[in-house]
mmCIF file of all heavy atoms in Angstrom:
data_model
loop_
_atom_site.group_PDB
_atom_site.id
_atom_site.type_symbol
_atom_site.label_atom_id
_atom_site.label_comp_id
_atom_site.label_asym_id
_atom_site.label_seq_id
_atom_site.Cartn_x
_atom_site.Cartn_y
_atom_site.Cartn_z
ATOM 1 N N ASP A 178 -17.497 -24.975 19.795
ATOM 2 C CA ASP A 178 -17.054 -24.565 21.130
ATOM 3 C C ASP A 178 -17.976 -23.468 21.660
ATOM 4 O O ASP A 178 -18.359 -22.527 20.908
ATOM 5 C CB ASP A 178 -15.610 -24.057 21.056
ATOM 6 C CG ASP A 178 -14.995 -23.868 22.439
ATOM 7 O OD1 ASP A 178 -15.545 -23.101 23.253
ATOM 8 O OD2 ASP A 178 -13.930 -24.483 22.685
ATOM 9 N N VAL A 179 -18.346 -23.570 22.906
ATOM 10 C CA VAL A 179 -19.281 -22.621 23.520
ATOM 11 C C VAL A 179 -18.731 -21.182 23.482
ATOM 12 O O VAL A 179 -19.503 -20.230 23.548
ATOM 13 C CB VAL A 179 -19.610 -23.029 24.978
ATOM 14 C CG1 VAL A 179 -18.385 -22.898 25.866
ATOM 15 C CG2 VAL A 179 -20.786 -22.237 25.526
ATOM 16 N N LEU A 180 -17.410 -21.026 23.398
ATOM 17 C CA LEU A 180 -16.828 -19.685 23.412
ATOM 18 C C LEU A 180 -16.686 -19.035 22.026
ATOM 19 O O LEU A 180 -16.212 -17.939 21.913
ATOM 20 C CB LEU A 180 -15.440 -19.746 24.078
ATOM 21 C CG LEU A 180 -15.453 -20.134 25.548
ATOM 22 C CD1 LEU A 180 -14.037 -20.103 26.116
ATOM 23 C CD2 LEU A 180 -16.384 -19.227 26.381
ATOM 24 N N VAL A 181 -17.130 -19.749 20.999
ATOM 25 C CA VAL A 181 -17.121 -19.124 19.653
ATOM 26 C C VAL A 181 -18.115 -17.956 19.682
ATOM 27 O O VAL A 181 -19.309 -18.118 20.002
ATOM 28 C CB VAL A 181 -17.502 -20.137 18.558
ATOM 29 C CG1 VAL A 181 -17.693 -19.423 17.219
ATOM 30 C CG2 VAL A 181 -16.419 -21.203 18.448
ATOM 31 N N HIS A 182 -17.618 -16.784 19.348
ATOM 32 C CA HIS A 182 -18.425 -15.565 19.476
ATOM 33 C C HIS A 182 -19.282 -15.322 18.253
ATOM 34 O O HIS A 182 -18.802 -15.438 17.104
ATOM 35 C CB HIS A 182 -17.512 -14.370 19.707
ATOM 36 C CG HIS A 182 -18.230 -13.057 19.785
ATOM 37 N ND1 HIS A 182 -19.173 -12.791 20.743
ATOM 38 C CD2 HIS A 182 -18.169 -11.941 19.003
ATOM 39 C CE1 HIS A 182 -19.630 -11.560 20.572
ATOM 40 N NE2 HIS A 182 -19.062 -11.022 19.508
ATOM 41 N N ARG A 183 -20.547 -15.001 18.446
ATOM 42 C CA ARG A 183 -21.460 -14.647 17.368
ATOM 43 C C ARG A 183 -21.586 -13.123 17.319
ATOM 44 O O ARG A 183 -22.079 -12.509 18.232
ATOM 45 C CB ARG A 183 -22.838 -15.261 17.570
ATOM 46 C CG ARG A 183 -23.062 -16.574 16.864
ATOM 47 C CD ARG A 183 -22.182 -17.680 17.414
ATOM 48 N NE ARG A 183 -22.500 -18.982 16.763
ATOM 49 C CZ ARG A 183 -21.848 -20.093 16.974
ATOM 50 N NH1 ARG A 183 -20.815 -20.105 17.817
ATOM 51 N NH2 ARG A 183 -22.185 -21.222 16.368
ATOM 52 N N GLU A 184 -21.043 -12.559 16.253
ATOM 53 C CA GLU A 184 -20.985 -11.092 16.135
ATOM 54 C C GLU A 184 -22.273 -10.578 15.493
ATOM 55 O O GLU A 184 -22.810 -11.179 14.563
ATOM 56 C CB GLU A 184 -19.774 -10.706 15.286
ATOM 57 C CG GLU A 184 -19.194 -9.349 15.601
ATOM 58 C CD GLU A 184 -17.768 -9.242 15.088
ATOM 59 O OE1 GLU A 184 -17.589 -9.252 13.858
ATOM 60 O OE2 GLU A 184 -16.839 -9.190 15.904
ATOM 61 N N ALA A 185 -22.741 -9.423 15.987
ATOM 62 C CA ALA A 185 -23.918 -8.777 15.407
ATOM 63 C C ALA A 185 -23.487 -7.670 14.442
ATOM 64 O O ALA A 185 -22.386 -7.148 14.559
ATOM 65 C CB ALA A 185 -24.774 -8.156 16.529
ATOM 66 N N ALA A 186 -24.340 -7.347 13.496
ATOM 67 C CA ALA A 186 -24.052 -6.310 12.516
ATOM 68 C C ALA A 186 -24.344 -4.949 13.135
ATOM 69 O O ALA A 186 -25.308 -4.261 12.772
ATOM 70 C CB ALA A 186 -24.853 -6.517 11.258
ATOM 71 N N MET A 187 -23.511 -4.517 14.079
ATOM 72 C CA MET A 187 -23.747 -3.310 14.846
ATOM 73 C C MET A 187 -23.788 -2.049 13.977
ATOM 74 O O MET A 187 -24.393 -1.058 14.347
ATOM 75 C CB MET A 187 -22.687 -3.142 15.935
ATOM 76 C CG MET A 187 -22.802 -4.135 17.073
ATOM 77 S SD MET A 187 -21.479 -3.881 18.279
ATOM 78 C CE MET A 187 -21.739 -2.165 18.754
ATOM 79 N N TYR A 188 -23.085 -2.077 12.872
ATOM 80 C CA TYR A 188 -22.946 -0.863 12.076
ATOM 81 C C TYR A 188 -23.689 -0.950 10.735
ATOM 82 O O TYR A 188 -23.412 -0.212 9.800
ATOM 83 C CB TYR A 188 -21.466 -0.579 11.812
ATOM 84 C CG TYR A 188 -20.681 -0.351 13.086
ATOM 85 C CD1 TYR A 188 -20.087 -1.426 13.757
ATOM 86 C CD2 TYR A 188 -20.612 0.911 13.661
ATOM 87 C CE1 TYR A 188 -19.404 -1.209 14.943
ATOM 88 C CE2 TYR A 188 -19.943 1.123 14.840
ATOM 89 C CZ TYR A 188 -19.326 0.046 15.506
ATOM 90 O OH TYR A 188 -18.660 0.259 16.676
ATOM 91 N N ALA A 189 -24.668 -1.861 10.665
ATOM 92 C CA ALA A 189 -25.399 -2.065 9.417
ATOM 93 C C ALA A 189 -26.100 -0.803 8.944
ATOM 94 O O ALA A 189 -26.207 -0.559 7.733
ATOM 95 C CB ALA A 189 -26.417 -3.204 9.578
ATOM 96 N N ASP A 190 -26.579 0.019 9.878
ATOM 97 C CA ASP A 190 -27.296 1.207 9.456
ATOM 98 C C ASP A 190 -26.380 2.311 8.947
ATOM 99 O O ASP A 190 -26.845 3.363 8.503
ATOM 100 C CB ASP A 190 -28.161 1.746 10.610
ATOM 101 C CG ASP A 190 -27.369 2.114 11.837
ATOM 102 O OD1 ASP A 190 -26.207 1.691 11.936
ATOM 103 O OD2 ASP A 190 -27.900 2.818 12.722
ATOM 104 N N HIS A 191 -25.073 2.071 8.962
ATOM 105 C CA HIS A 191 -24.128 3.041 8.394
ATOM 106 C C HIS A 191 -23.613 2.602 7.026
ATOM 107 O O HIS A 191 -22.869 3.351 6.391
ATOM 108 C CB HIS A 191 -22.933 3.215 9.351
ATOM 109 C CG HIS A 191 -23.270 3.820 10.675
ATOM 110 N ND1 HIS A 191 -23.510 5.180 10.821
ATOM 111 C CD2 HIS A 191 -23.419 3.275 11.889
ATOM 112 C CE1 HIS A 191 -23.787 5.425 12.087
ATOM 113 N NE2 HIS A 191 -23.743 4.294 12.757
ATOM 114 N N VAL A 192 -23.997 1.421 6.564
ATOM 115 C CA VAL A 192 -23.457 0.897 5.312
ATOM 116 C C VAL A 192 -24.211 1.528 4.119
ATOM 117 O O VAL A 192 -25.428 1.583 4.091
ATOM 118 C CB VAL A 192 -23.605 -0.639 5.252
ATOM 119 C CG1 VAL A 192 -23.098 -1.169 3.904
ATOM 120 C CG2 VAL A 192 -22.825 -1.285 6.406
#
Side-chain angles (χ1 to χ4, degrees):
D178 192 302
V179 67
L180 296 182
V181 172
H182 177 61
R183 266 65 176 176
E184 209 160 67
M187 288 179 59
Y188 299 91
D190 59 345
H191 295 284
V192 178

